[in-house]
Structures are given as structure tokens and as C-alpha cells.
Amino acid sequence: MKGIRWSAARWGQVAACCLLLGGPALQAAPTPPAAPVARYWVRLRHKAGVRFDPATYFSPAAQARRRRQRLPAADSTDFPVRADFLRQIRATVDSVTLVSRWFNAVACHATPAQVAHLRQLPGVASVEQWERRPGLAAGQPGTAERGTPTISADDRQLARRQTASLGGPLFQQAGLAGQGLRIAIFDVGFVGAVRHPAFEQVHREKRVVATYDFVRRSPNVFVGGTHGTEVFSCIAGRLPDGTPLGLAPQAEFLLARTERLTREIYAEEEAWLAAAEWADRNGADIINSSLGYTDRRYFPEQMNGHTSLVSRAAEMAVRKGILVINAAGNDGEDPDWHTIGTPADADSVLTVGGLDPDTYLHIDFSSYGPSADQRLKPNVIAFGTVLAAAPGGYVRTQGTSFSSPLLVGFAACAWQHNRSLTVMQLFKQLQASADLYPYFDYAHGYGLPRASAFLDPKSTAGAAPPTVDFIRQDTVLAVLIRSEAAVIPAQVLPLYSDSVALVGSARKVPAVGREELAPPLKQQGERQLTQSQPSQEPEPLVPLVRPGYLYWHVADRRGVLRSYEVREVTQRAVLQIPLRTLQSGDTVRVCYRGITQSYSRP
């Protein structure tokens, strides 16, 4: 008998006829849809009965750090989670993606039915679902950024200025280059860093002591992207003639890949936490995080230092004696965000904003403070345009991603100078070393840190004479620069001139971690220098003198700024503030030539 081929449509017709006749349908029942799987954060009840030996878990460097920081050898947050609790969870859920000692918690994927079962387990304290947000692209995928072997005279000047602006020559003269410090770098990948001549000495001396890719769960971090290579070079890289690109070329390094190039998902925060626990175990003194998470998963009002998992992880790292330094972000020109990201919002994270090397003012793309709960952010600033190493050579690039590692190198030298400092003592001294301190605003923080504040405190702690006078008139508070402070090179400021100008600049860059090449400077008298032909006699360094700006702000009685501004000083009568704009308890602070003076409204 000849076979008959039945189509799906014919089977449907037969089934429909059977139903009309009251008979059983011939087609099989449809397969029910699979239960949706979501990401959950499972908190455990306790660690009772867990045994833990710090000497076998922590590296010798980690144990030494805890002794220096006067911390116990271990506390309960260092203990592993209970093995029986973890076995029960693994047997219940779809998959486990993270086990955190610090938070006694597990991240997992599970269905609603599995979650219902999870909540009944005796060791589970709570189960929280990660907020569901669309997975938007964080950046456009493309070819890895490549450098050029040609180094112009302007590039070389920038390379020298990015460290000299922080007092690099003083650290070098004192023999401070990060020796004995261990620095962890969290980034998207370190493509090209293994063979790049900028890191030749670091690799020859085997000072990359550990690596791990927390995205792919592999020791190989030299994949993914070049951003981490550029960041790494702003701490430890060198030009062919030995010129340092960062301030800690003699430090040891832990390299961690925690980020994907083209997506921002919660798994990256889990990877950041896992990397922080790994860095703690392996003896990190400092964590550099040139990463930030913003509107793809949070709202600006959540930038309060305790909402995101990554900000809480950063705070925990500081409790372990690790200095965490994070880029402020590159959203300064984004009207929908504008503010810092996370973990830069954490209270004890040293947040670094970007400085324009041409004007010595906040560079416009750098994110502004304060935090959502009105704390000072950024804390300090450093150059936001740098020369960095990239596969094939060197690139001029920009972003607060590079301000942060410049500050990491500075902090390493400062800590090397005085290893007895606790992490928060160092944090406060880094702020106090800045050139605007005690003045601050939400663009510059306390300003640009100075090596002289650590190496020669007397030179920065002297009682300098006042530079301005406050004069209360009928309806205004006038600020006049004193005659003895009005002498600047080549001129004496008049009492009045045609105008007093606000100052600023306009540039755009992508989100933090997605920086692009910086526009080239004016090429005047440029001399090309290649890796094979380094300069024998470096060009004289352009003088590093901050222009004579006047910074001023109005703070309420809680110290929260109502307003702030920077003025280019062209006359002695530099500022008039209407008294009607000042409320009772307000304080007006003015910083001119490094001297801060205050006027309080009764």
C-alpha cells in the first residue's frame, strides 16, 4: 500500500473534526512554555560551625597588609559560606553564578517554582530578584584601539605633564615609584599588554603576580579590549626613552577582567565583587576601577553609596584595608544623568574627576557631584587627557578612566612614603594634599593632589597671608583681591576692568570605559620621535602653573553647596554677591592663589 504523507495542517483538520464529533483529538497536547529564569540574590542566615584558617587562605601579602592596618587576621565576613547551605541551593536552582564570603550570599538563576522552594530552605534568610531592565548596548563594538609608534613633541610633553602635574619629579627624586605596593586593576581586558614595550620592565621582573578573567572564568585577561592596557600604562607604563606614563612603575599588579565590552548587565557587578574578594585574598593594597554603572540599571537618585551591589562591595574592600580609587564618570555633558556613577558614589571610595591639561579646570565631559545624598564627589582631580600605551604604540586619549590610574600611582607613592597610615588616614591625607583644600566644589573636589604635601608638609602648611577682603555693602557682599595679591606676572590687576569672565571648555567623550582618542593639540614646531629613535635630550617641560582663577561657592549650614563658580581674574573687584541670595547660616568661601577665606551670613 502506498504511504500517505500527512501535513501538520491536515492533522489539525482531523483534530478539529474529532472535536466537532465529540471524539478525542488525534494531535498531542501542546508543550507548555518553559518557566522563565531570572537572576536572584540569596542571603544566607549564618556561618555557624564553619572552620577557617586565615594563614592558609590569605596570601602572605594580604596577611602583612592586615597587620599594617591593625586589622584582625580574619573576621566572620572572611569565612566561607556553609557548604551544606550551598549544596542545597545548587540542588534547587538552575545555576549558581557567584558565592560571596563577604556578604554570605549566593547569586543564581532560578525559575519562580525554584524560588518558592529556595525560600523554604533552612539556611536561606531572603531571596531578592535583581531589577529587570532592558539589556541596552553600552558601546558600539569595533576594532580594538591601536596606537602609533610615532610620538610627537606635544605627545611627549603631555606624557611628562600628566605625572609632573601631581609632583611626579619630587616622588622620583625621593626614590618613590610604588615599590612594595600591590595594585589591582579591574577593567574590560588587557589586549596587547604582554608584549608591549611600555611594560617590558614590569614583565621582566615578574611583577604581574596574578591575573583572572571573571567574565570567562579563565586566567587569561589579555583579551576583550585595550582599555585596561591604556589604564595599566597610566600607572606603570613607560615611553621608549624611559619617561614614565604613571607614578608607580615599580609596583606589583593584579589584573582582573570584570567587564564586557558591549553590554552592561548585573553579572558585571557580581564580577566586580568576586574580583574584590580575590584582590583582598591576594594582598592588594589599592584597587583601580576605571568603570562605572549608570542609567542602564540605575536612576541618579540611587547614587547614594549603598544601593548598588558594587558600591557595597567597594565599601567592604575599604574595611579590609584596601584603598579603592574609582573614575567619576564621563557623563558631565549628559543632561539626563550628569552625575557620578557607581561605585564612585560610595563614601569611602576616592572618586577622581577629570582636569583639562590646557586650562587646569574641570574638563566638561567629567561627571559632576554631589552624590545623591549630598556628599562631596568627586574627591580630587587629575588630567583627563593623557598619553597612554595601546597595541602598536601610544595614543593620546581622554576620559576620567585615565584620571583614576594617575591618582592610583600618586597614592601608591604616598603610601610607600608612610606605610603606617591606615587606609582612611591615607584617604583623608590625599584630599588634604590637593591644591584647593579646604575649598571644594562638585566639579573639582578638593583639586589636584600635590606630592609636596607628603614629602615637605611644612611647605604647604604655612600660614599664608589672606588674598581677598569681604566687604559688606548695602545690598551686596563684595569680594576684592588685596593689593599685595594683585601682582601677577607682567601686570598688576586694576581695581576694575571691562568684565570678569567665567571660564570653561566644551568636549565630548563616550561613557566611562568607552573612551575615544583625544583630539590632537596644535602641532607647532612638532618633532617626530619614534620608538626606535627616542629623544636624547627631552624638550624643556612646559611650566606647570595653575592660572590665577578665583573659585567661590555658597554652602548651607550643613555644608551642602547651593552654588559654585570659577572666575578668570582680570580685576581686583572680582565678585559681588547680592545679599538677598544668601540665607541665614550660609557660608561664602573664596579660594584664590591657594588661600581659602570664608564669610558667614548671620
Side-chain angles (χ1 to χ4, degrees):
M1 177 178 169
K2 187 175 181 180
I4 301 174
R5 179 173 295 174
W6 289 80
S7 68
R10 177 65 59 86
W11 278 113
Q13 292 172 1
V14 172
C17 292
C18 291
L19 287 172
L20 289 173
L21 296 172
L26 296 180
Q27 72 179 33
T31 303
V37 175
R39 184 181 296 273
Y40 293 88
W41 183 248
V42 182
R43 298 180 187 274
L44 305 179
R45 293 189 181 277
H46 55 76
K47 296 182 178 180
V50 173
R51 294 183 178 181
F52 179 64
D53 180 9
T56 58
Y57 176 75
F58 291 114
S59 70
Q63 296 174 55
R65 185 195 68 236
R66 292 187 176 225
R67 289 192 296 269
R68 282 194 306 271
Q69 297 283 300
R70 299 184 285 280
L71 296 171
D75 61 37
S76 62
T77 60
D78 300 311
F79 290 15
V81 302
R82 282 185 45 158
D84 56 336
F85 291 171
L86 184 56
R87 281 195 301 271
Q88 292 168 0
I89 292 171
R90 289 188 186 278
T92 302
V93 303
D94 194 73
S95 62
V96 169
T97 57
L98 171 71
V99 179
S100 172
R101 294 178 177 229
W102 284 1
F103 295 111
N104 195 27
V106 173
C108 65
H109 290 100
T111 66
Q114 290 170 340
V115 169
H117 187 192
L118 264 182
R119 292 193 168 105
Q120 303 303 314
L121 295 179
V124 171
S126 65
V127 181
E128 305 166 20
Q129 183 175 357
W130 288 121
E131 183 180 359
R132 299 179 69 88
R133 287 269 192 110
L136 302 177
Q140 296 300 321
T143 58
E145 189 167 274
R146 295 197 62 82
T148 172
T150 301
I151 304 171
S152 71
D154 282 336
D155 289 339
R156 192 172 299 277
Q157 280 280 351
L158 177 59
R160 296 173 66 197
R161 292 177 68 225
Q162 67 198 41
T163 56
S165 61
L166 295 163
L170 291 178
F171 281 142
Q172 292 168 20
Q173 292 167 16
L176 301 173
Q179 295 96 325
L181 273 291
R182 187 165 287 189
I183 299 169
I185 304 174
F186 299 174
D187 219 288
V188 300
F190 301 85
V191 171
V194 173
R195 295 180 178 84
H196 200 292
F199 308 106
E200 188 273 333
Q201 185 177 5
V202 173
H203 291 302
R204 185 179 72 247
E205 296 174 359
K206 301 186 186 313
R207 285 189 282 106
V208 175
V209 296
T211 62
Y212 198 76
D213 182 341
F214 290 88
V215 174
R216 304 196 312 174
R217 303 179 190 276
S218 160
N220 180 20
V221 298
F222 305 104
V223 295
T226 63
H227 187 266
T229 304
E230 295 159 27
V231 167
F232 187 14
S233 73
C234 289
I235 303 174
R238 294 182 184 273
L239 294 184
D241 66 354
T243 299
L245 298 174
L247 289 171
Q250 293 295 322
E252 295 179 336
F253 296 93
L254 305 168
L255 305 182
R257 182 175 180 236
T258 62
E259 180 104 350
R260 293 169 171 84
L261 268 176
T262 58
R263 311 291 288 182
E264 283 194 359
I265 57 177
Y266 282 107
E268 292 171 345
E269 290 196 54
E270 292 178 17
W272 201 105
L273 168 57
E277 295 192 24
W278 171 80
D280 172 36
R281 181 180 185 179
N282 284 282
D285 296 293
I286 303 173
I287 289 173
N288 178 80
S289 171
S290 289
L291 305 168
Y293 307 105
T294 55
D295 59 349
R296 289 178 175 85
R297 67 187 73 168
Y298 295 110
F299 298 103
E301 57 268 25
Q302 292 177 298
M303 298 296 98
N304 53 26
H306 55 78
T307 294
S308 74
L309 174 65
V310 73
S311 67
R312 287 180 279 126
E315 293 279 8
M316 183 67 82
V318 176
R319 285 178 53 188
K320 306 296 183 181
I322 303 172
L323 178 66
V324 179
I325 299 181
N326 205 96
N330 296 337
D331 295 303
E333 296 180 297
D334 182 350
D336 296 325
W337 189 265
H338 194 64
T339 189
I340 55 172
T342 189
D345 62 329
D347 183 44
S348 56
V349 167
L350 190 77
T351 302
V352 188
L355 183 71
D356 189 326
D358 296 329
T359 65
Y360 268 73
L361 291 169
H362 169 273
I363 197 165
D364 284 358
F365 62 72
S366 182
S367 295
Y368 293 85
S371 64
D373 52 346
Q374 304 298 301
R375 286 176 289 105
L376 172 63
K377 293 290 176 180
N379 303 93
V380 291
I381 51 175
F383 274 20
T385 300
V386 301
L387 190 72
Y394 298 86
V395 293
R396 181 187 294 267
T397 188
Q398 59 184 7
T400 58
S401 283
F402 311 111
S403 309
S404 177
L406 289 177
L407 236 299
V408 165
F410 182 95
C413 292
W415 218 349
Q416 180 188 353
H417 180 63
N418 186 355
R419 292 291 267 156
S420 67
L421 293 174
T422 67
V423 64
M424 289 313 297
Q425 287 172 339
L426 177 64
F427 182 102
K428 292 174 182 177
Q429 289 193 21
L430 289 169
Q431 291 188 139
S433 75
D435 61 352
L436 299 180
Y437 186 88
Y439 176 87
F440 65 91
D441 62 36
Y442 298 145
H444 304 89
Y446 288 114
L448 190 69
R450 298 165 295 172
S452 58
F454 288 92
L455 300 178
D456 187 13
K458 293 181 181 179
S459 67
T460 56
T467 55
V468 302
D469 288 315
F470 294 98
I471 301 176
R472 180 167 178 167
Q473 301 171 342
D474 289 339
T475 59
V476 299
L477 177 68
V479 178
L480 271 65
I481 293 176
R482 290 191 171 191
S483 56
E484 58 269 29
V487 178
I488 60 177
Q491 64 172 310
V492 176
L493 294 174
L495 182 60
Y496 292 99
S497 65
D498 290 339
S499 65
V500 176
L502 301 182
V503 291
S505 59
R507 296 185 183 180
K508 291 184 178 180
V509 295
V512 66
R514 324 289 184 210
E515 285 82 0
E516 295 177 339
L517 298 183
L521 298 179
K522 294 179 180 178
Q523 306 296 313
Q524 296 179 349
E526 178 179 293
R527 183 158 54 91
Q528 297 298 322
L529 302 168
T530 66
Q531 291 187 31
S532 58
Q533 297 175 326
S535 172
Q536 299 301 316
E537 296 183 3
E539 304 81 5
L541 185 64
V542 174
L544 296 166
V545 179
R546 182 189 284 274
Y549 298 125
L550 181 135
Y551 301 76
W552 72 281
H553 71 224
V554 178
D556 65 18
R557 62 176 69 251
R558 299 171 299 160
V560 177
L561 301 192
R562 297 189 188 280
S563 62
Y564 60 93
E565 191 175 75
V566 181
R567 295 202 166 203
E568 185 175 18
V569 177
T570 57
Q571 63 185 42
R572 287 179 55 208
V574 70
L575 184 62
Q576 288 189 328
I577 306 170
L579 289 171
R580 60 180 170 75
T581 64
L582 301 179
Q583 301 178 19
S584 177
D586 280 358
T587 298
V588 178
R589 289 190 183 88
V590 174
C591 181
Y592 181 63
R593 293 198 166 185
I595 306 302
T596 299
Q597 295 168 248
S598 302
Y599 170 88
S600 296
R601 177 73 187 265

